[in-house]
Short mmCIF file of all heavy atoms in Angstrom, two decimals:
data_model
loop_
_atom_site.label_atom_id
_atom_site.label_comp_id
_atom_site.label_asym_id
_atom_site.label_seq_id
_atom_site.Cartn_x
_atom_site.Cartn_y
_atom_site.Cartn_z
N MET A 120 0.82 -1.19 0.00
CA MET A 120 0.00 0.00 0.00
C MET A 120 0.87 1.26 0.00
O MET A 120 0.55 2.24 -0.66
CB MET A 120 -0.91 -0.04 1.22
CG MET A 120 -2.01 0.97 1.13
SD MET A 120 -2.93 0.75 -0.39
CE MET A 120 -4.53 1.17 0.06
N MET A 121 1.97 1.23 0.75
CA MET A 121 2.87 2.40 0.78
C MET A 121 3.46 2.68 -0.59
O MET A 121 3.58 3.84 -0.99
CB MET A 121 4.00 2.19 1.79
CG MET A 121 3.55 2.12 3.22
SD MET A 121 2.71 3.60 3.73
CE MET A 121 1.45 2.91 4.73
N GLU A 122 3.81 1.62 -1.31
CA GLU A 122 4.36 1.79 -2.66
C GLU A 122 3.32 2.45 -3.57
O GLU A 122 3.66 3.31 -4.39
CB GLU A 122 4.80 0.44 -3.23
CG GLU A 122 5.53 0.56 -4.54
CD GLU A 122 6.82 1.37 -4.44
OE1 GLU A 122 7.47 1.35 -3.38
OE2 GLU A 122 7.16 2.05 -5.43
N LEU A 123 2.06 2.08 -3.41
CA LEU A 123 0.99 2.67 -4.20
C LEU A 123 0.84 4.17 -3.91
O LEU A 123 0.67 4.97 -4.81
CB LEU A 123 -0.33 1.94 -3.92
CG LEU A 123 -1.52 2.33 -4.78
CD1 LEU A 123 -1.23 2.10 -6.26
CD2 LEU A 123 -2.74 1.55 -4.35
N TYR A 124 0.93 4.55 -2.63
CA TYR A 124 0.90 5.98 -2.27
C TYR A 124 2.02 6.73 -2.98
O TYR A 124 1.82 7.80 -3.54
CB TYR A 124 1.07 6.18 -0.77
CG TYR A 124 -0.14 5.87 0.06
CD1 TYR A 124 -0.06 4.95 1.09
CD2 TYR A 124 -1.35 6.52 -0.15
CE1 TYR A 124 -1.16 4.67 1.88
CE2 TYR A 124 -2.46 6.24 0.63
CZ TYR A 124 -2.36 5.31 1.64
OH TYR A 124 -3.44 5.04 2.43
N CYS A 125 3.22 6.17 -2.96
CA CYS A 125 4.37 6.81 -3.58
C CYS A 125 4.20 6.93 -5.09
O CYS A 125 4.50 7.96 -5.68
CB CYS A 125 5.64 6.04 -3.25
SG CYS A 125 6.08 6.07 -1.51
N GLN A 126 3.70 5.87 -5.71
CA GLN A 126 3.51 5.89 -7.16
C GLN A 126 2.45 6.90 -7.58
O GLN A 126 2.66 7.69 -8.49
CB GLN A 126 3.10 4.50 -7.65
CG GLN A 126 4.21 3.49 -7.62
CD GLN A 126 3.71 2.10 -7.99
OE1 GLN A 126 2.56 1.90 -8.37
NE2 GLN A 126 4.60 1.12 -7.86
N LYS A 127 1.30 6.87 -6.91
CA LYS A 127 0.19 7.75 -7.31
C LYS A 127 0.50 9.23 -7.06
O LYS A 127 -0.05 10.09 -7.74
CB LYS A 127 -1.09 7.35 -6.58
CG LYS A 127 -1.67 6.07 -7.11
CD LYS A 127 -3.05 5.82 -6.57
CE LYS A 127 -3.62 4.61 -7.27
NZ LYS A 127 -5.00 4.78 -7.64
N SER A 128 1.36 9.52 -6.11
CA SER A 128 1.69 10.92 -5.83
C SER A 128 2.96 11.36 -6.56
O SER A 128 3.41 12.49 -6.39
CB SER A 128 1.87 11.13 -4.33
OG SER A 128 2.99 10.40 -3.87
N HIS A 129 3.54 10.47 -7.35
CA HIS A 129 4.75 10.75 -8.12
C HIS A 129 5.89 11.21 -7.20
O HIS A 129 6.62 12.15 -7.52
CB HIS A 129 4.48 11.79 -9.21
CG HIS A 129 3.37 11.38 -10.14
ND1 HIS A 129 3.54 10.43 -11.10
CD2 HIS A 129 2.08 11.77 -10.21
CE1 HIS A 129 2.40 10.26 -11.75
NE2 HIS A 129 1.49 11.06 -11.22
N LEU A 130 6.03 10.54 -6.07
CA LEU A 130 7.10 10.84 -5.13
C LEU A 130 8.45 10.51 -5.75
O LEU A 130 8.64 9.44 -6.33
CB LEU A 130 6.91 10.03 -3.84
CG LEU A 130 7.91 10.30 -2.73
CD1 LEU A 130 7.79 11.75 -2.26
CD2 LEU A 130 7.68 9.35 -1.58
N LYS A 131 9.37 11.45 -5.65
CA LYS A 131 10.69 11.27 -6.24
C LYS A 131 11.78 11.60 -5.23
O LYS A 131 11.56 12.37 -4.28
CB LYS A 131 10.84 12.17 -7.46
CG LYS A 131 9.86 11.82 -8.56
CD LYS A 131 10.20 12.53 -9.84
CE LYS A 131 9.32 12.19 -11.00
NZ LYS A 131 8.05 11.61 -10.80
N ASP A 132 12.94 11.04 -5.44
CA ASP A 132 14.09 11.29 -4.58
C ASP A 132 14.41 12.78 -4.55
O ASP A 132 14.37 13.45 -5.59
CB ASP A 132 15.30 10.50 -5.11
CG ASP A 132 16.47 10.56 -4.16
OD1 ASP A 132 16.27 10.77 -2.96
OD2 ASP A 132 17.61 10.39 -4.64
N GLY A 133 14.68 13.30 -3.38
CA GLY A 133 15.04 14.70 -3.23
C GLY A 133 13.88 15.61 -2.85
O GLY A 133 14.09 16.76 -2.49
N GLN A 134 12.64 15.09 -2.93
CA GLN A 134 11.50 15.91 -2.54
C GLN A 134 11.40 15.98 -1.02
O GLN A 134 11.83 15.07 -0.32
CB GLN A 134 10.21 15.33 -3.11
CG GLN A 134 10.10 15.47 -4.60
CD GLN A 134 8.81 14.88 -5.14
OE1 GLN A 134 8.30 13.88 -4.65
NE2 GLN A 134 8.28 15.51 -6.17
N THR A 135 10.79 17.06 -0.54
CA THR A 135 10.54 17.18 0.89
C THR A 135 9.13 16.68 1.17
O THR A 135 8.20 16.96 0.42
CB THR A 135 10.67 18.64 1.37
OG1 THR A 135 9.80 19.46 0.60
CG2 THR A 135 12.11 19.12 1.22
N VAL A 136 8.99 15.90 2.24
CA VAL A 136 7.73 15.24 2.56
C VAL A 136 7.39 15.46 4.02
O VAL A 136 8.24 15.34 4.90
CB VAL A 136 7.84 13.71 2.29
CG1 VAL A 136 6.59 12.99 2.74
CG2 VAL A 136 8.12 13.45 0.82
N LEU A 137 6.14 15.78 4.27
CA LEU A 137 5.61 15.82 5.63
C LEU A 137 4.68 14.63 5.77
O LEU A 137 3.68 14.53 5.06
CB LEU A 137 4.86 17.13 5.89
CG LEU A 137 4.20 17.27 7.26
CD1 LEU A 137 5.25 17.22 8.37
CD2 LEU A 137 3.41 18.56 7.33
N ASP A 138 5.03 13.71 6.64
CA ASP A 138 4.24 12.50 6.87
C ASP A 138 3.45 12.71 8.16
O ASP A 138 3.97 12.59 9.25
CB ASP A 138 5.19 11.31 7.00
CG ASP A 138 4.49 9.98 7.22
OD1 ASP A 138 3.25 9.94 7.25
OD2 ASP A 138 5.20 8.96 7.36
N VAL A 139 2.18 13.08 8.01
CA VAL A 139 1.31 13.34 9.15
C VAL A 139 0.50 12.09 9.41
O VAL A 139 -0.20 11.60 8.53
CB VAL A 139 0.34 14.51 8.84
CG1 VAL A 139 -0.57 14.76 10.02
CG2 VAL A 139 1.11 15.76 8.47
N GLY A 140 0.62 11.55 10.59
CA GLY A 140 -0.12 10.33 10.89
C GLY A 140 -0.30 10.14 12.37
O GLY A 140 -0.28 11.08 13.14
N CYS A 141 -0.47 8.91 12.75
CA CYS A 141 -0.75 8.60 14.15
C CYS A 141 0.52 8.41 14.95
O CYS A 141 0.47 7.97 16.09
CB CYS A 141 -1.64 7.37 14.23
SG CYS A 141 -0.87 5.89 13.58
N GLY A 142 1.67 8.71 14.39
CA GLY A 142 2.92 8.59 15.13
C GLY A 142 3.80 7.44 14.72
O GLY A 142 4.91 7.30 15.19
N TRP A 143 3.33 6.58 13.84
CA TRP A 143 4.11 5.42 13.44
C TRP A 143 5.09 5.73 12.32
O TRP A 143 6.06 5.02 12.13
CB TRP A 143 3.20 4.27 13.01
CG TRP A 143 2.35 3.77 14.14
CD1 TRP A 143 1.03 4.02 14.32
CD2 TRP A 143 2.76 2.99 15.25
NE1 TRP A 143 0.59 3.43 15.48
CE2 TRP A 143 1.63 2.78 16.07
CE3 TRP A 143 3.98 2.44 15.64
CZ2 TRP A 143 1.68 2.05 17.25
CZ3 TRP A 143 4.03 1.72 16.82
CH2 TRP A 143 2.89 1.53 17.60
N GLY A 144 4.83 6.77 11.54
CA GLY A 144 5.74 7.14 10.45
C GLY A 144 5.86 6.06 9.40
O GLY A 144 6.93 5.84 8.85
N SER A 145 4.76 5.40 9.09
CA SER A 145 4.80 4.26 8.18
C SER A 145 5.34 4.60 6.81
O SER A 145 6.08 3.83 6.22
CB SER A 145 3.43 3.61 8.07
OG SER A 145 2.47 4.56 7.65
N LEU A 146 5.00 5.77 6.30
CA LEU A 146 5.51 6.14 4.98
C LEU A 146 7.02 6.43 5.05
O LEU A 146 7.78 6.02 4.18
CB LEU A 146 4.78 7.35 4.42
CG LEU A 146 5.22 7.76 3.02
CD1 LEU A 146 4.84 6.68 2.01
CD2 LEU A 146 4.62 9.08 2.62
N SER A 147 7.45 7.09 6.09
CA SER A 147 8.88 7.39 6.25
C SER A 147 9.70 6.12 6.40
O SER A 147 10.85 6.06 5.97
CB SER A 147 9.10 8.28 7.47
OG SER A 147 8.45 9.51 7.29
N LEU A 148 9.12 5.12 7.03
CA LEU A 148 9.83 3.86 7.22
C LEU A 148 9.81 2.97 5.98
O LEU A 148 10.52 1.99 5.91
CB LEU A 148 9.24 3.09 8.41
CG LEU A 148 9.40 3.78 9.75
CD1 LEU A 148 8.63 3.01 10.83
CD2 LEU A 148 10.86 3.92 10.11
N HIS A 149 8.98 3.34 5.00
CA HIS A 149 8.88 2.56 3.77
C HIS A 149 10.03 2.94 2.85
O HIS A 149 9.94 3.79 2.00
CB HIS A 149 7.54 2.82 3.07
CG HIS A 149 7.43 2.11 1.76
ND1 HIS A 149 7.24 0.76 1.67
CD2 HIS A 149 7.50 2.57 0.50
CE1 HIS A 149 7.19 0.42 0.41
NE2 HIS A 149 7.35 1.49 -0.33
N CYS A 150 11.15 2.30 3.06
CA CYS A 150 12.36 2.55 2.25
C CYS A 150 12.98 1.20 1.94
O CYS A 150 13.23 0.42 2.85
CB CYS A 150 13.32 3.41 3.05
SG CYS A 150 14.80 3.81 2.15
N PRO A 151 13.20 0.88 0.63
CA PRO A 151 13.67 -0.46 0.24
C PRO A 151 14.92 -0.93 0.97
O PRO A 151 15.02 -2.09 1.33
CB PRO A 151 13.94 -0.33 -1.26
CG PRO A 151 13.10 0.80 -1.72
CD PRO A 151 13.01 1.73 -0.54
N ASP A 152 15.87 -0.06 1.20
CA ASP A 152 17.11 -0.52 1.82
C ASP A 152 17.16 -0.21 3.32
O ASP A 152 18.10 -0.58 3.99
CB ASP A 152 18.33 0.07 1.12
CG ASP A 152 18.35 1.58 1.13
OD1 ASP A 152 17.52 2.20 1.83
OD2 ASP A 152 19.21 2.16 0.45
N GLY A 153 16.16 0.49 3.83
CA GLY A 153 16.11 0.79 5.26
C GLY A 153 17.13 1.81 5.72
O GLY A 153 17.35 1.99 6.90
N GLN A 154 17.78 2.48 4.79
CA GLN A 154 18.83 3.44 5.12
C GLN A 154 18.36 4.87 4.84
O GLN A 154 18.61 5.42 3.78
CB GLN A 154 20.10 3.15 4.29
CG GLN A 154 20.66 1.78 4.50
CD GLN A 154 21.22 1.60 5.90
OE1 GLN A 154 21.79 2.51 6.48
NE2 GLN A 154 21.04 0.44 6.46
N LEU A 155 17.67 5.47 5.79
CA LEU A 155 17.22 6.85 5.63
C LEU A 155 18.22 7.79 6.28
O LEU A 155 18.52 7.66 7.46
CB LEU A 155 15.83 7.03 6.26
CG LEU A 155 14.71 6.22 5.63
CD1 LEU A 155 13.43 6.40 6.43
CD2 LEU A 155 14.49 6.65 4.20
N GLN A 156 18.73 8.72 5.51
CA GLN A 156 19.74 9.65 6.00
C GLN A 156 19.18 11.04 6.28
O GLN A 156 19.82 11.84 6.91
CB GLN A 156 20.87 9.77 4.96
CG GLN A 156 21.54 8.46 4.63
CD GLN A 156 22.37 7.93 5.77
OE1 GLN A 156 22.97 8.68 6.51
NE2 GLN A 156 22.38 6.62 5.93
N ASN A 157 17.98 11.32 5.81
CA ASN A 157 17.49 12.69 5.85
C ASN A 157 16.11 12.81 6.50
O ASN A 157 15.29 13.59 6.06
CB ASN A 157 17.45 13.27 4.43
CG ASN A 157 16.59 12.43 3.51
OD1 ASN A 157 16.19 11.34 3.85
ND2 ASN A 157 16.29 12.95 2.34
N VAL A 158 15.87 12.07 7.56
CA VAL A 158 14.58 12.10 8.24
C VAL A 158 14.69 12.97 9.49
O VAL A 158 15.61 12.82 10.28
CB VAL A 158 14.12 10.68 8.64
CG1 VAL A 158 12.86 10.73 9.48
CG2 VAL A 158 13.90 9.84 7.40
N LYS A 159 13.73 13.86 9.62
CA LYS A 159 13.64 14.69 10.82
C LYS A 159 12.30 14.39 11.47
O LYS A 159 11.25 14.51 10.82
CB LYS A 159 13.72 16.18 10.46
CG LYS A 159 13.60 17.09 11.65
CD LYS A 159 13.69 18.54 11.22
CE LYS A 159 13.53 19.47 12.41
NZ LYS A 159 13.54 20.88 11.98
N ILE A 160 12.32 13.97 12.71
CA ILE A 160 11.10 13.61 13.41
C ILE A 160 10.63 14.80 14.23
O ILE A 160 11.39 15.38 15.01
CB ILE A 160 11.33 12.39 14.32
CG1 ILE A 160 11.73 11.20 13.46
CG2 ILE A 160 10.09 12.11 15.16
CD1 ILE A 160 12.18 10.00 14.25
N ILE A 161 9.37 15.17 14.03
CA ILE A 161 8.75 16.26 14.76
C ILE A 161 7.53 15.70 15.47
O ILE A 161 6.64 15.15 14.82
CB ILE A 161 8.31 17.40 13.81
CG1 ILE A 161 9.50 17.93 13.03
CG2 ILE A 161 7.62 18.51 14.59
CD1 ILE A 161 9.12 18.87 11.90
N VAL A 162 7.50 15.82 16.78
CA VAL A 162 6.35 15.38 17.54
C VAL A 162 5.53 16.63 17.86
O VAL A 162 6.01 17.53 18.54
CB VAL A 162 6.77 14.66 18.84
CG1 VAL A 162 5.55 14.25 19.64
CG2 VAL A 162 7.64 13.46 18.51
N ALA A 163 4.32 16.69 17.31
CA ALA A 163 3.51 17.90 17.47
C ALA A 163 2.04 17.58 17.24
O ALA A 163 1.70 16.56 16.64
CB ALA A 163 3.95 18.97 16.48
N ASP A 164 1.20 18.47 17.70
CA ASP A 164 -0.23 18.39 17.43
C ASP A 164 -0.46 19.08 16.09
O ASP A 164 -0.22 20.28 15.95
CB ASP A 164 -0.98 19.11 18.55
CG ASP A 164 -2.50 19.09 18.36
OD1 ASP A 164 -2.97 18.76 17.25
OD2 ASP A 164 -3.20 19.41 19.33
N ILE A 165 -0.91 18.34 15.09
CA ILE A 165 -1.04 18.88 13.74
C ILE A 165 -2.05 20.03 13.68
O ILE A 165 -1.95 20.91 12.83
CB ILE A 165 -1.38 17.78 12.71
CG1 ILE A 165 -1.18 18.28 11.28
CG2 ILE A 165 -2.78 17.26 12.92
CD1 ILE A 165 0.21 18.71 10.93
N SER A 166 -2.99 20.06 14.61
CA SER A 166 -3.99 21.14 14.59
C SER A 166 -3.40 22.48 14.99
O SER A 166 -3.98 23.52 14.70
CB SER A 166 -5.18 20.79 15.49
OG SER A 166 -4.77 20.75 16.85
N THR A 167 -2.23 22.47 15.65
CA THR A 167 -1.58 23.72 16.06
C THR A 167 -0.17 23.84 15.50
O THR A 167 0.53 24.80 15.80
CB THR A 167 -1.52 23.83 17.60
OG1 THR A 167 -0.79 22.71 18.12
CG2 THR A 167 -2.92 23.87 18.19
N PHE A 168 0.24 22.89 14.68
CA PHE A 168 1.60 22.86 14.12
C PHE A 168 1.81 24.01 13.14
O PHE A 168 1.03 24.19 12.21
CB PHE A 168 1.84 21.53 13.42
CG PHE A 168 3.18 21.38 12.79
CD1 PHE A 168 4.33 21.38 13.56
CD2 PHE A 168 3.31 21.24 11.42
CE1 PHE A 168 5.58 21.23 12.97
CE2 PHE A 168 4.55 21.09 10.82
CZ PHE A 168 5.69 21.08 11.61
N GLU A 169 2.83 24.80 13.36
CA GLU A 169 3.18 25.88 12.45
C GLU A 169 4.38 25.45 11.62
O GLU A 169 5.47 25.25 12.15
CB GLU A 169 3.48 27.16 13.22
CG GLU A 169 2.27 27.71 13.94
CD GLU A 169 2.52 29.07 14.56
OE1 GLU A 169 3.38 29.82 14.04
OE2 GLU A 169 1.87 29.37 15.56
N MET A 170 4.16 25.29 10.33
CA MET A 170 5.22 24.83 9.44
C MET A 170 6.27 25.91 9.24
O MET A 170 5.93 27.05 8.98
CB MET A 170 4.63 24.41 8.10
CG MET A 170 3.73 23.24 8.18
SD MET A 170 3.17 22.77 6.54
CE MET A 170 1.74 21.82 6.98
N GLU A 171 7.52 25.51 9.36
CA GLU A 171 8.64 26.42 9.15
C GLU A 171 9.15 26.34 7.73
O GLU A 171 10.01 27.12 7.34
CB GLU A 171 9.76 26.09 10.13
CG GLU A 171 9.35 26.26 11.57
CD GLU A 171 10.42 25.80 12.54
OE1 GLU A 171 11.51 25.37 12.07
OE2 GLU A 171 10.18 25.87 13.74
N ALA A 172 8.63 25.41 6.97
CA ALA A 172 9.10 25.20 5.60
C ALA A 172 7.92 24.82 4.72
O ALA A 172 6.81 24.60 5.20
CB ALA A 172 10.15 24.08 5.58
N SER A 173 8.19 24.71 3.43
CA SER A 173 7.18 24.18 2.52
C SER A 173 7.58 22.75 2.17
O SER A 173 8.72 22.35 2.33
CB SER A 173 7.08 25.04 1.27
OG SER A 173 8.30 25.04 0.58
N TYR A 174 6.61 21.98 1.70
CA TYR A 174 6.84 20.58 1.40
C TYR A 174 6.34 20.26 0.00
O TYR A 174 5.35 20.83 -0.45
CB TYR A 174 6.12 19.69 2.43
CG TYR A 174 6.61 19.90 3.84
CD1 TYR A 174 5.99 20.82 4.68
CD2 TYR A 174 7.71 19.22 4.31
CE1 TYR A 174 6.45 21.04 5.96
CE2 TYR A 174 8.18 19.42 5.60
CZ TYR A 174 7.54 20.34 6.42
OH TYR A 174 8.01 20.56 7.68
N ASP A 175 7.03 19.34 -0.67
CA ASP A 175 6.60 18.91 -1.99
C ASP A 175 5.38 18.00 -1.90
O ASP A 175 4.52 18.01 -2.77
CB ASP A 175 7.73 18.16 -2.70
CG ASP A 175 8.93 19.06 -2.97
OD1 ASP A 175 8.73 20.14 -3.54
OD2 ASP A 175 10.05 18.68 -2.58
N ARG A 176 5.32 17.19 -0.85
CA ARG A 176 4.20 16.28 -0.63
C ARG A 176 3.86 16.27 0.85
O ARG A 176 4.74 16.31 1.69
CB ARG A 176 4.55 14.84 -1.04
CG ARG A 176 4.98 14.67 -2.49
CD ARG A 176 3.79 14.78 -3.43
NE ARG A 176 4.15 14.54 -4.80
CZ ARG A 176 4.58 15.48 -5.65
NH1 ARG A 176 4.71 16.73 -5.25
NH2 ARG A 176 4.88 15.18 -6.90
N ILE A 177 2.55 16.19 1.14
CA ILE A 177 2.09 16.01 2.52
C ILE A 177 1.16 14.81 2.51
O ILE A 177 0.20 14.75 1.74
CB ILE A 177 1.35 17.26 3.05
CG1 ILE A 177 2.31 18.46 3.07
CG2 ILE A 177 0.80 16.98 4.45
CD1 ILE A 177 1.66 19.76 3.51
N TYR A 178 1.48 13.83 3.35
CA TYR A 178 0.70 12.61 3.44
C TYR A 178 0.07 12.53 4.82
O TYR A 178 0.67 12.91 5.81
CB TYR A 178 1.58 11.36 3.27
CG TYR A 178 2.23 11.26 1.92
CD1 TYR A 178 3.49 11.76 1.70
CD2 TYR A 178 1.58 10.60 0.88
CE1 TYR A 178 4.10 11.67 0.46
CE2 TYR A 178 2.19 10.50 -0.37
CZ TYR A 178 3.44 11.01 -0.56
OH TYR A 178 4.04 10.90 -1.78
N SER A 179 -1.13 12.00 4.87
CA SER A 179 -1.80 11.71 6.13
C SER A 179 -2.28 10.27 6.05
O SER A 179 -3.30 9.97 5.45
CB SER A 179 -2.97 12.66 6.36
OG SER A 179 -3.62 12.33 7.57
N ILE A 180 -1.51 9.38 6.65
CA ILE A 180 -1.80 7.95 6.58
C ILE A 180 -2.04 7.45 8.00
O ILE A 180 -1.20 7.61 8.87
CB ILE A 180 -0.63 7.18 5.93
CG1 ILE A 180 -0.39 7.70 4.52
CG2 ILE A 180 -0.90 5.69 5.94
CD1 ILE A 180 0.87 7.18 3.87
N GLY A 181 -3.20 6.88 8.21
CA GLY A 181 -3.51 6.29 9.52
C GLY A 181 -3.85 7.32 10.58
O GLY A 181 -3.75 7.04 11.76
N MET A 182 -4.24 8.51 10.17
CA MET A 182 -4.53 9.55 11.15
C MET A 182 -5.92 9.41 11.75
O MET A 182 -6.14 9.77 12.89
CB MET A 182 -4.38 10.93 10.51
CG MET A 182 -4.56 12.05 11.49
SD MET A 182 -3.55 13.42 11.02
CE MET A 182 -4.16 14.65 12.12
N PHE A 183 -6.86 8.92 10.98
CA PHE A 183 -8.24 8.84 11.47
C PHE A 183 -8.66 7.42 11.75
O PHE A 183 -8.40 6.53 11.09
CB PHE A 183 -9.20 9.48 10.46
CG PHE A 183 -8.90 10.92 10.22
CD1 PHE A 183 -8.26 11.33 9.06
CD2 PHE A 183 -9.21 11.87 11.18
CE1 PHE A 183 -7.98 12.66 8.85
CE2 PHE A 183 -8.93 13.20 10.97
CZ PHE A 183 -8.32 13.60 9.80
#
């Protein structure tokens, strides 16, 4: 299912992504080799979260 999300959203290497979910980070953990070098974890309430940057893709998986 994660691969399908990536394909349908045309996710590409080098894009910035905000993975909003229930805290599991399932999309961020979906990496074929398991070697993520550029992940920043932010623990926050999304209803009050003030973004400091812009993102190429924003995903909400497993939030509801």
Side-chain angles (χ1 to χ4, degrees):
M120 194 55 146
M121 294 300 141
E122 188 61 32
L123 187 59
Y124 284 124
C125 294
Q126 288 174 6
K127 287 190 174 222
S128 65
H129 304 285
L130 183 63
K131 297 192 177 20
D132 188 24
Q134 291 180 324
T135 56
V136 174
L137 177 62
D138 181 1
V139 179
C141 63
W143 296 104
S145 56
L146 183 66
S147 297
L148 295 173
H149 176 74
C150 181
D152 59 9
Q154 301 293 323
L155 296 175
Q156 302 291 325
N157 58 349
V158 173
K159 179 180 179 183
I160 298 171
I161 301 170
V162 178
D164 180 346
I165 194 61
S166 66
T167 59
F168 179 64
E169 294 187 28
M170 295 184 200
E171 298 174 2
S173 61
Y174 298 92
D175 296 308
R176 302 286 184 272
I177 298 177
Y178 297 92
S179 178
I180 300 170
M182 184 148 170
F183 299 104

